[in-house]
Amino acid sequence: MSKSNYRGRFAPSPTGLLHAGSLSTAVGSYLEARSQGGEWLLRMEDLDPPREVPGAADSILKTLEAFGFEWDGEVAYQSRRHHLYRDALKQLIENGKAYACACTRKEIAAAAKRGLDGYVYPGTCRHGCPDGREGRAWRLRVNARLTTLPDRLQGEYSQNLASDIGDFVLLRADGFWAYQLAVVVDDAEQGVSDIVRGADLLVSTPRQLAVYDALGLEPPSYCHLPVLTNGAGEKLSKQTLAPAISTGDAARQLRAALALLGHEAPVECGSLDELWLWARQRWSLSRVPRGPLLAPL
Ligand code: GLU
């Protein structure tokens, strides 16, 4: 039994292998959970088969294991949890909070302004699809007021969902569940109290708060860790060709990830076990920089 009510998680998408950026997020979320005597869950976000890389989910698990991460319980797979997303969407439709949308990407691009994360949906189908058109996607109706969250590392972050993002997709036109819905349904269902993840997801958080609100659920607390960038200032990702981490020199890479997060381990800590022991005792969010951080080569 856990000593506290803290329950954290790491939720990789198997669209590529782990790289230095995802490793540092895993390290930060793991140490924050363990330093508070909390649990740490692992959830594979495998909801987007067209973007997934065969074998990546297993490789991510093996890599985490080789680095010495210990997660609580079984790994959850989003691909096996569709019924939960379906129930949530049904509730939102019944409460009038979600609506069907017939717009194509092209139509949206022609009618919309750019916002904080792509086009701001212009609300074409908000009061029903145009005559003769059928809904292809489902969207959440958002409010025109400021959503503000206190982030434990990045400070206060605000968005006006109506003007910055627009009504956003819950179920995509291609039939796949949107990340914004699935992540909330899962974190709530799994009892996650504290989300520690990369700062690239800060822009998504007000949307997730809107989903919590629409479903009548209590949101968790948030902490967005610095993202790692390459020499060109781009976030490390599959798209920017970030190299996959190898498990051959795991201790060196764990040491580097800790140093980036403001925890420079003494040279005497040579092995993975020694590094983890040291880090679990010393971990403090107050030492973690806000970033972004240049990834070491
Ligand atoms: N699956 C997402 C990713 O790999 C992370 C989701 C989250 O932590 O909320 O970027």
Side-chain angles (χ1 to χ4, degrees), residues 9 11-13 43 45 179 183 187 195-197 200-201 208:
R9 51 57 158 190
S13 301
R43 184 173 70 234
E45 301 213 316
Y179 158 67
V183 73
D187 283 326
I195 293 182
V196 178
R197 61 185 178 189
D200 52 315
L201 293 169
Q208 292 165 22

Side-chain angles (χ1 to χ4, degrees), residues 105-129:
R105 270 172 204 268
K106 231 176 169 178
E107 288 167 335
I108 296 172
K113 292 187 310 221
R114 284 210 173 263
L116 290 180
D117 192 17
Y119 290 108
V120 178
Y121 180 65
T124 320
C125 298
R126 217 171 198 236
H127 304 292
C129 297

Side-chain angles (χ1 to χ4, degrees), residues 10-237:
F10 179 55
S13 301
T15 49
L17 305 178
L18 285 186
H19 50 73
S22 32
L23 176 68
S24 84
T25 299
V27 168
S29 92
Y30 184 62
L31 287 171
E32 185 58 19
R34 295 306 192 212
S35 69
Q36 305 219 17
E39 294 180 348
W40 191 71
L41 312 183
L42 197 55
R43 184 173 70 234
M44 202 49 75
E45 301 213 316
D46 53 351
L47 274 188
D48 196 351
R51 290 184 57 232
E52 282 158 25
V53 173
D58 282 349
S59 154
I60 290 172
L61 296 183
K62 286 207 182 85
T63 304
L64 290 171
E65 223 164 55
F67 271 80
F69 288 95
E70 291 172 350
W71 50 90
D72 293 293
E74 300 284 313
V75 178
Y77 288 85
Q78 288 192 322
S79 55
R80 300 175 196 165
R81 298 167 64 86
H82 289 220
H83 58 287
L84 298 173
Y85 316 135
R86 207 171 297 126
D87 290 350
L89 179 60
K90 190 164 166 260
Q91 182 187 330
L92 295 172
I93 296 170
E94 282 170 3
N95 295 341
K97 296 189 170 156
Y99 65 88
C101 170
C103 299
T104 61
R105 270 172 204 268
K106 231 176 169 178
E107 288 167 335
I108 296 172
K113 292 187 310 221
R114 284 210 173 263
L116 290 180
D117 192 17
Y119 290 108
V120 178
Y121 180 65
T124 320
C125 298
R126 217 171 198 236
H127 304 292
C129 297
D131 281 348
R133 299 280 302 274
E134 253 190 61
R136 307 161 69 239
W138 287 87
R139 291 181 183 273
L140 188 81
R141 225 176 268 285
V142 301
N143 292 316
R145 57 172 154 75
L146 214 57
T147 303
T148 301
L149 68 117
D151 186 90
R152 292 179 58 216
L153 186 60
Q154 306 294 334
E156 230 172 57
Y157 179 77
S158 300
Q159 268 178 13
N160 181 322
L161 279 172
S163 53
D164 292 333
I165 300 287
D167 295 339
F168 58 90
V169 170
L170 303 169
L171 178 63
R172 290 164 23 185
D174 58 10
F176 294 119
W177 295 103
Y179 158 67
Q180 309 292 358
L181 176 70
V183 73
V184 169
V185 169
D186 283 337
D187 283 326
E189 196 277 334
Q190 295 187 284
V192 169
S193 64
D194 287 78
I195 293 182
V196 178
R197 61 185 178 189
D200 52 315
L201 293 169
L202 192 53
V203 72
S204 287
T205 309
R207 269 170 277 182
Q208 292 165 22
L209 289 175
V211 176
Y212 277 101
D213 187 52
L215 289 169
L217 298 168
E218 199 57 43
S221 103
Y222 289 96
C223 171
H224 286 86
L225 296 173
V227 284
L228 264 50
T229 61
N230 61 22
E234 303 160 324
K235 173 184 132 38
L236 294 194
S237 70

